[in-house]
Amino acid sequence: MFKGLAVLTDQHNKTNAWPSGWIVLLALLLGLLTNPADAGMKTYGTVTVNLDPPAQAESYYGYAVYRLSVINRGKTAREVTVVLPADSWSNEDSIGRLSRTVRVEPGATAVAELLQPPLPINGEDARVFIDGQAQRDQLRVAIADHMSYYGSGEPILISHGVVGPVIASYDKTRASATEEEWDEFSGTYVDYGDQYDMVRPSRPVSEWSGNWLAYSRYLMVMVRADELQSAPPSVDAALRDYVAAGGTVLLLGQGEVVPDPSALWQEGSLSHWKAPDGRSAEMRLGLGKLHLYASNKLARFDSNAWQQFLSQVSRENRPRRTRFDASESESRLPMIESLQVPTRGLLALMLLFTLLIGPGNILLLNWLKRRMWLLWTIPAIAFVFASAVLLYSIFNEGIEPRAKTVSITMLDQRTRQSVTVGLTGYYAPLTPGDGMHFSDRTQITPQTGDYEYYDYGYSGRSRSMDVTNGQHLTRGWIVARVPAHLELRNVESRRERLEITRTDAGGLSVVNGLGLPIQRLLIADEQGRFYEVNSLSAGGSATALSMQWSGETNEHAMDIFKQYGVLDAARRIQAEPEASLDKSMYIALLDNASFSEPGLAGLTKHETTGIVIGRWEETK
């Protein structure tokens, strides 16, 4: 704003054409319109609220995460609620209200995050409530261009330290990147048939989020090793969880040195491949990959090398961004297949209603000579029959909601890290009053269509969500008698495990510490020998019997999941689990149990199909 004021003042001194008052007014207006320096920050008395939006980039999967910080300079504790958006202009499938409440002690600062799931926010700015009182002035904030239907490019998050080598590989005349060069570079798309948007965050790596959901909207995250080493351990753990959930991280070393990841990465690595030139390596962890590059090798990339590398990453991440519309989800995981429409009963009821409310009612009132009673008998009969239809529906369907889940859990017993991906269908005869609850580390993807392509006939309903304590889906997510499907992807630390030890005879003894009953268990030891246990209860123990497998391992179980998605992968693994088993792994087919979150409290009708793919080592 002051820069614009100085320019206009200088022009006035040279031309002396406009009155100075008009110049100052015009400068202030120009500064407010073109340089919103106070955007995202507002002071309300003794409370200052700052809401930083995520990096501005088109994205159509994962979460967009806003960083909220509140400063309380007063002498009493305050409760501050921020609501996105302040004004919403759409009722289609979108987030109509996203809220977070923080309590700030006197003289303290509170930092929190607002998690926007993969649904658009059609609105602007934010509304602030302090101790329950709505503040008059709205908080200016740029709503993320997330799930905007037009997303044709995939964002790649690039840390400040990686900017130079990346630009140098695209433009051989540049050895480093100034601010002007980055602004010019980041505003363009790199087009190799697909489009990739290089995005640099506003904050350094040391201030990045400690929740993996903050990176889930990016195709890949590129960060320099020394930046990550100087960041808090929570950032390193969040990026590791992001990779385990299916993401890709490129870790860049200096010069000709290939960086060494932290112990968290090395312990969780499923495989480690190193290039013959020794300047790059690749580690597989969970459903994703960690790429290790020397800075000089990355800088030598030409357009063909970038094309091959980014195309490979995009192909490997395709299942992470696949979603179905409501009808396709219902056909794949049906929730109303058992419901039969009582056509004969309804027809008989409607015929009886017509006869009573019409001829029967009129003839009776004529006989009683009370025709004026039509004014109240018609509404009364209609009310009785409407209540009868409602009671019949409740009697036929009940009032309790039901759910159906198919899930696959990748459990690494060495690091205690688990990744659970599941598809859950819900059906509720009555709309649940308290909505649904999930943890703040669960990625919730409603199956409401493919946002990669715009659908001109698209419609839906607005939804509300509060992320103060986990993710509380309050309104619009489940409505009465309409099936709803959610894909749930969760990364967490779990203590459950199978206790596997060698017997004196050379076999395997198993204690089921998963806390869930196992229908069938297949184990492969470090030499690739197969063992089997049938029907093992929770907490039970058994001796695994050696089994012969004449076939070959066709596809790794995790490769099957990445290629086919959770439903098809579960069917393939259940049909022939032996073909998906690798050394030092086990596959447990659960007996009507799952690690996936149910979402609804007190859910008594929940049909589940669960598979646990575990990596184990002998219990000492």
Side-chain angles (χ1 to χ4, degrees), residues 109-348:
T109 300
V111 178
E113 293 179 331
L114 270 75
L115 311 174
Q116 178 189 348
L119 284 172
I121 293 180
N122 298 320
E124 58 184 7
D125 297 337
R127 193 173 298 278
V128 177
F129 297 80
I130 299 179
D131 294 333
Q133 298 295 318
Q135 303 303 298
R136 184 182 63 180
D137 295 333
Q138 296 180 359
L139 185 65
R140 299 179 61 193
V141 60
I143 301 296
D145 191 10
H146 185 49
M147 310 302 297
S148 60
Y149 309 116
Y150 296 101
S152 58
E154 297 190 73
I156 298 175
L157 188 66
I158 304 180
S159 71
H160 294 239
V162 180
V163 169
V166 169
I167 292 185
S169 67
Y170 279 103
D171 189 342
K172 301 303 180 183
T173 64
R174 297 177 178 175
S176 61
T178 64
E179 290 294 326
E180 291 76 12
E181 289 172 335
W182 171 259
D183 291 338
E184 176 186 350
F185 174 78
S186 64
T188 61
Y189 282 92
V190 183
D191 190 358
Y192 300 121
D194 294 321
Q195 294 182 339
Y196 307 98
D197 191 6
M198 305 295 183
V199 180
R200 186 181 64 173
S202 59
R203 294 183 176 274
V205 178
S206 59
E207 298 181 21
W208 283 10
S209 174
N211 189 335
W212 76 273
L213 293 178
Y215 312 98
S216 59
R217 68 190 288 236
Y218 299 106
L219 173 68
M220 179 169 58
V221 177
M222 303 172 66
V223 60
R224 210 169 65 194
D226 57 340
E227 292 178 300
L228 191 57
Q229 289 172 358
S230 60
S234 59
V235 177
D236 187 54
L239 288 175
R240 182 198 64 157
D241 291 347
Y242 158 72
V243 170
T248 302
V249 167
L250 189 149
L251 195 62
L252 193 65
Q254 295 184 354
E256 299 286 341
V257 178
V258 176
D260 290 326
S262 66
L264 281 175
W265 297 84
Q266 296 182 28
E267 291 175 0
S269 175
L270 298 175
S271 63
H272 189 191
W273 177 85
K274 194 168 186 179
D277 60 9
R279 295 201 301 271
S280 65
E282 179 184 290
M283 291 177 60
R284 179 173 181 172
L285 188 145
L287 297 173
K289 286 183 180 179
L290 171 67
H291 295 272
L292 308 167
Y293 271 86
S295 179
N296 288 351
K297 180 172 182 177
L298 187 70
R300 295 190 186 101
F301 268 27
D302 56 17
S303 60
N304 290 330
W306 274 109
Q307 177 182 1
Q308 294 175 5
F309 179 65
L310 294 179
S311 296
Q312 174 192 348
V313 173
S314 182
R315 286 194 303 271
E316 293 175 348
N317 279 268
R318 191 165 300 278
R320 189 161 61 96
R321 58 181 187 263
T322 300
R323 60 196 297 172
F324 301 99
D325 59 21
S327 60
E328 177 68 14
S329 299
E330 176 62 19
S331 66
R332 294 168 63 84
L333 190 66
M335 295 303 301
I336 56 176
E337 60 180 348
S338 61
L339 295 180
Q340 299 293 330
V341 179
T343 53
R344 292 184 179 180
L346 288 177
L347 182 60

Side-chain angles (χ1 to χ4, degrees), residues 379-436:
I381 295 173
F383 176 78
V384 170
F385 272 85
S387 301
V389 171
L390 177 61
L391 291 175
Y392 183 84
S393 174
I394 293 176
F395 176 79
N396 186 46
E397 297 183 358
I399 60 174
E400 294 183 353
R402 58 178 177 273
K404 188 183 296 183
T405 296
V406 177
S407 71
I408 298 178
T409 298
M410 284 66 69
L411 177 62
D412 191 335
Q413 296 190 175
R414 303 179 187 181
T415 62
R416 294 182 177 176
Q417 183 189 54
S418 75
V419 180
T420 299
V421 182
L423 181 66
T424 301
Y426 298 93
Y427 182 85
L430 303 176
T431 301
D434 191 38
M436 293 189 289

Side-chain angles (χ1 to χ4, degrees), residues 495-538:
R495 301 182 64 87
E496 293 89 346
R497 58 190 291 124
L498 293 180
E499 302 288 345
I500 303 176
T501 57
R502 285 284 181 188
T503 64
D504 295 337
L508 296 179
S509 176
V510 183
V511 176
N512 182 6
L514 295 180
L516 302 172
I518 298 175
Q519 185 181 48
R520 186 185 180 198
L521 174 64
L522 296 175
I523 306 173
D525 63 13
E526 60 275 11
Q527 283 80 35
R529 294 186 294 262
F530 282 23
Y531 300 84
E532 182 179 16
V533 177
N534 287 312
S535 186
L536 185 58
S537 63

